[in-house]
Amino acid sequence: MRVSCFLILYLIAFSISPGVTQSNDSPLNFVALEDSIKHILNETKAPGAQVALFTSDSMVWNKNFGLRDVADSLSVEYSTFFRIGSITKTFVSTAILQLVVQGKLNLKDKVSDYLDDVQYKNRYHEESPILIEHLLEHTAGFDDMHMKEYAARAEGWTLKQGMDYHPDNRYARWRPGTHMSYCNSGPPMAAYIVEKITGQHFDDYVRDHIFLPLGMNHSSLLHTEKVIQLLSKGYDAEGSKEEAYWHISQRPAGSINSNATEMSKFIRMLMNRGSLDSIHILSPASVERMERCETTLSGKTGEHQGYGLHNYTTNYKGMIYHGHNGGMMGFLAQASYHPESDYGFVILVNATNNAINRIARQIFQFIYNTIGAIYDNDEVALSREEEDLILGYYRSATSRNQMLRFPEAIAGITKVGKDAEGYFVRDQIGGQKSRAKATSSNTLLIENDNGLRTPMVFAKDGTSIFAQQVNWMTNLKKSSWLGSFSPLILTALALLTGLLMALYALIWLPLRGLKVWNRGRKPMRWSALLATLSLFTFGLFFTLANSGNILENLGNPSLYAVGIFVSSLLLPIFMLSFIWYRIKLRVEDESRFFRVYTALTALFFLIACYGLFYFDMIGLRTWAY
């Protein structure tokens, strides 16, 4: 749909607080911050934004930037709404915690006790059932929503319809309560539990028990007439193409429409430990639990930074912020607060580019400078035995989306090492070296060039050693050098030998007319050439799909999706054809080099086929995935 123009008569009928700008007697100077935000928006071509900075008591600075409608040159105003995306999840956990306070459920209740009409699979059910807190901490092990769900046209759907549409991703890929892996399928299940207990639609429950008590009078999960009149248009990364309103199939995962003024009330409630202006939404203990990660391997060691109950930590130069971010087609959002300094902020941007991350870093640094304190952690000395436990090579252990597991399993290699300057962590494929220091016997604290830090917690699960970078939401499994690099090496050799064989084939193609080739080699040459072209086509269609609306391109049987499907079928067919013709070919009269080279190519092709089959890449139908 297209968002209508802002209606003055509507604002007269439904007055909205205009927000608070910097007061004349404020000791803080926001001129430089405002100029830097304007520069970022101009440089990234993001049309508009709202930024609010506040304490638990009051709004400190609330500013609008740019345009809410590029075509009609309409400015962003205090009443302008944006889509907050996944920050919606924090409202899900708030609703669940309200029911916990009322004694109507417990976070450690089994999901199966409430959702007997929702399809999901857990092969570990007997020893590790999925609990409500697993849904809220993304530790159920579920795959993320599939492309088919993302692309669904779900206007008017109920929550149950959204969950029933494509339940295939709801299966525990590992033992629940082990690894955090971000997933949009858990929050709707938790929201459905709220519906089961209260008898209200989740949209209505949030309105009655969170929005209205906090004075968020126009915020909504739905695409109401009020929202239509207030909502900014959303734009692509270039800030030029308008994006249609995305009716996400499972609204509790990310559909709230709001603005910085109303969102600041919700965040201030969390900063006040569950209350705002004498209105009690949560108990202090509930907010503290929301901010704490408990169900991962790292959480069980006592490291509670990371993803709590739909509320995660961001460590900027030692300042531990809580909150969430979000993204929808055409919009990005971030809400963060630092309880110790009593500062929080909300950023809403109507373009899907890097503007929001850059603005957030500016505000992090602004607050850091304002506080004038240095936050640091004491370093501890590790014994040789403790170093032996953590130093070495690690491979990616999990993926947010199982469809991406194949490339991550090949190239996701991390080294944890020690040099003359101390400990370091480095992604081996194109990654920079990040310095780290030991803060406990099982934790390294990593800091990147942007000032962002994360504890890297090492924990055993059975006989395996895992490393969880809790604020960056990555899970790694320790491996030997050979175990870490062998998938990458074998993949590179398969590509190289196939490419060389294809180039060799291109040499004899022009000679075909001159009848200068060995007829026995012809089918093998063709197979190598076509396998290489299939691989190139497979990657090309993924690249082209990503250049537009990737959800539409891959969530439907588009040219790109069909191209991926066909090329993923042809690739192993041509690889196996090469192997077959290599087995049949008489090589007694061939050179030793030719015999060895073609045999190795056949071997590497066979390994590649196994990998494609193992990771479900053969016949990949993204629109049905």
Side-chain angles (χ1 to χ4, degrees), residues 342-410:
D342 196 35
Y343 274 108
F345 64 86
V346 171
I347 308 170
L348 306 174
V349 179
N350 59 358
T352 49
N353 58 33
N354 195 41
I356 196 162
N357 293 329
R358 294 177 57 183
I359 293 172
R361 287 197 296 270
Q362 289 290 325
I363 298 178
F364 283 142
Q365 186 62 42
F366 180 83
I367 296 174
Y368 186 83
N369 294 339
T370 300
I371 299 305
I374 296 177
Y375 294 81
D376 212 344
N377 296 85
D378 294 332
E379 188 168 7
V380 301
L382 298 182
S383 67
R384 177 65 62 86
E385 291 77 14
E386 290 168 338
E387 285 189 343
D388 289 342
L389 174 71
I390 67 174
L391 298 183
Y393 290 92
Y394 291 79
R395 293 184 59 192
S396 169
T398 63
S399 293
R400 171 176 170 174
N401 194 301
Q402 199 65 17
M403 189 172 67
L404 302 177
R405 186 71 195 129
F406 184 45
E408 290 181 9
I410 294 171

Side-chain angles (χ1 to χ4, degrees), residues 402-445:
Q402 199 65 17
M403 189 172 67
L404 302 177
R405 186 71 195 129
F406 184 45
E408 290 181 9
I410 294 171
I413 308 168
T414 299
K415 182 179 181 180
V416 179
K418 185 178 183 182
D419 57 20
E421 298 180 47
Y423 300 109
F424 67 87
V425 177
R426 179 173 59 199
D427 292 336
Q428 295 297 94
I429 310 301
Q432 66 178 18
K433 180 188 288 187
S434 296
R435 303 312 311 184
K437 65 179 181 181
T439 56
S440 73
S441 61
N442 68 327
T443 304
L444 294 181
L445 184 66

Side-chain angles (χ1 to χ4, degrees), residues 4-229:
S4 63
C5 296
F6 184 74
L7 300 180
I8 297 177
L9 291 177
Y10 178 82
L11 285 183
I12 294 175
F14 302 95
S15 59
I16 296 178
S17 171
V20 180
T21 57
Q22 180 188 359
S23 62
N24 293 330
D25 59 351
S26 172
L28 301 177
N29 182 357
F30 290 93
V31 174
L33 177 61
E34 182 175 340
D35 288 343
S36 66
I37 293 174
K38 288 179 179 177
H39 175 74
I40 291 170
L41 294 174
N42 181 64
E43 195 168 70
T44 59
K45 301 179 181 179
Q50 286 180 340
V51 180
L53 180 67
F54 43 84
T55 65
S56 59
D57 293 331
S58 62
M59 184 74 74
V60 175
W61 187 70
N62 195 1
K63 189 70 177 177
N64 305 304
F65 298 87
L67 301 175
R68 70 178 191 270
D69 186 326
V70 173
D72 292 337
S73 297
L74 299 177
S75 298
V76 173
E77 300 181 357
Y78 290 110
S79 55
T80 302
F81 266 34
F82 291 71
R83 308 204 70 188
I84 69 169
S86 289
I87 304 176
T88 303
K89 295 178 175 66
T90 314
F91 290 81
V92 175
S93 61
T94 299
I96 287 288
L97 287 169
Q98 287 179 327
L99 299 181
V100 170
V101 171
Q102 296 168 23
K104 295 180 179 179
L105 57 76
N106 190 290
L107 291 175
K108 297 191 181 298
D109 287 345
K110 298 177 184 178
V111 172
S112 59
D113 291 341
Y114 297 91
L115 302 184
D116 56 357
D117 57 342
V118 174
Q119 181 179 335
Y120 67 95
K121 297 178 182 178
N122 177 20
R123 55 181 170 164
Y124 310 94
H125 177 71
E126 292 299 325
E127 68 274 17
S128 298
I130 296 175
L131 310 179
I132 292 176
E133 62 183 351
H134 293 154
L135 300 179
L136 303 181
E137 288 195 13
H138 297 302
T139 54
F142 291 157
D143 194 2
D144 196 9
M145 280 171 55
H146 288 178
M147 285 296 173
K148 181 177 180 179
E149 293 174 274
Y150 277 120
R153 302 184 184 279
E155 184 173 4
W157 286 15
T158 65
L159 174 55
K160 184 62 163 55
Q161 283 177 301
M163 289 191 295
D164 288 345
Y165 176 64
H166 185 76
D168 296 17
N169 64 313
R170 293 197 298 265
Y171 64 99
R173 293 173 290 170
W174 47 80
R175 185 164 52 84
T178 306
H179 305 296
M180 181 271 166
S181 183
Y182 196 88
C183 169
N184 282 293
S185 298
M189 293 178 67
Y192 193 47
I193 291 174
V194 173
E195 290 196 354
K196 289 269 192 171
I197 292 176
T198 65
Q200 276 189 290
H201 290 300
F202 183 74
D203 314 311
D204 296 334
Y205 180 90
V206 172
R207 179 197 64 207
D208 295 343
H209 297 273
I210 303 176
F211 287 156
L212 294 181
L214 290 175
M216 301 174 67
N217 297 329
H218 303 294
S219 296
S220 178
L221 283 91
L222 303 173
H223 196 219
T224 64
E225 285 299 319
K226 294 180 183 179
V227 168
I228 292 172
Q229 292 172 343

